[in-house]
Amino acid sequence: MTGLKTRVRRVDAAALAEAADLLRAGGLVAFPTETVYGLGADATNSEAVERLYAVKGRPAFNPLIVHVADLASARALAIFDPLAERLATAFWPGPLTLVLPQSPGCPVAKQAMAGLPTIALRVPASAEAQALLRAFGGALVAPSANLSGHVSPTLAAHVRADLDGLVPLVLDGGAAMVGVESSIVACLHGAPALLRPGGLSGEAIEAALSHPLTRERQERGAQRAPTAPGQLQSHYAPRARLRTEASRLEPGEALLAFGPSPLPGAEAAVATLNLSPQSNLEEAAANLFAFLRRLDASGVTMIAVMPIPSTGLGEAINDRLRRAAAPRPAPHAFTGSTP
Ligand code: TXA
Ligand code: MG
């Protein structure tokens, strides 16, 4: 994997054609979606899927999301019950992933589902992701384009920071609009379950279903292979430690602020970024990962985070912050010059 030069290209017709060729040859291409940047591979090519796990350093038991251009393509891969139909019709394309039973003869490589009988499907909304799926002409597995356990990328520069020299091409579509990963809903037996809060609010999903979602809040250790494997406890971790729900700033800490009111002690902050001075949760979600990376890059050892309401996208924001603050099972194996 050494000697590979990573090129970052603005999304245009020539870049899309190059990306589609690379993907057809079993290569990996990072690309923007409306949630976060994904690392794409041909979903039907087992070797490409295995390479993807290896490059990310992702455990083989953690399955991938399969991205398709539209609902018609999704129907070939999974079985939609009436509630799944309703959610897909209401929210695709968009930041929603559905976990469904695989269709008989589903052509997706088994490694992508990590041996589960289910499949996670998403139809991304961003023009760049749609254009790539159409240029490629098939399904793409695409986990977030970061090293396993690190903060998801919302800029092409974040992808390069994690994966430089490991992937040949990063398509640059600017900042991801939503900024947190898709919401994952399982429609398997009866009541739909929210496996991961994300870029589509729980309230919006419940309104479409006309009844409450089951919430599977597994705070599991990394040792155990989960049934919803994305729910590993320590995930989305920056290098600095995080302290959530801070009611005052301690000496030496950096501050991740939210809203207009100053936090006691904030004048002494080593560095400060405000997710949304006007307390707008969409803006806070869009800023979250980039701000965590920026505070981390300033070399601080502790980031204090102000309380954030858990309504709307606040549920996803607080979920990511809790995971980032969770105890780490082992030191991260990042590449590059940093220890
Ligand atoms: O917004 C997103 O979803 C981004 C963009 C690139 O589309 N992708 C993303 O992928 O967040 P990743 O790999 O970082 O997260 C995929 C999540 C994991 O938590 C995984 O455990 C879960 O989806 N997942 C995949 N297949 C599953 C399945 N069959 N059952 C339960 N969970 C599944
Ligand atoms: Mg991820």
Side-chain angles (χ1 to χ4, degrees), residues 131-145:
L132 181 64
L133 285 163
R134 290 178 195 281
F136 173 64
L140 294 174
V141 285
S144 49

Side-chain angles (χ1 to χ4, degrees), residues 36 56 58 62 143-153 181 196 235-236:
V36 299
K56 276 202 56 140
R58 183 179 180 108
N62 192 0
S144 49
N146 51 278
L147 293 175
S148 185
H150 199 188
V151 178
S152 290
E181 303 86 345
R196 176 177 77 181
H235 211 83
Y236 310 101

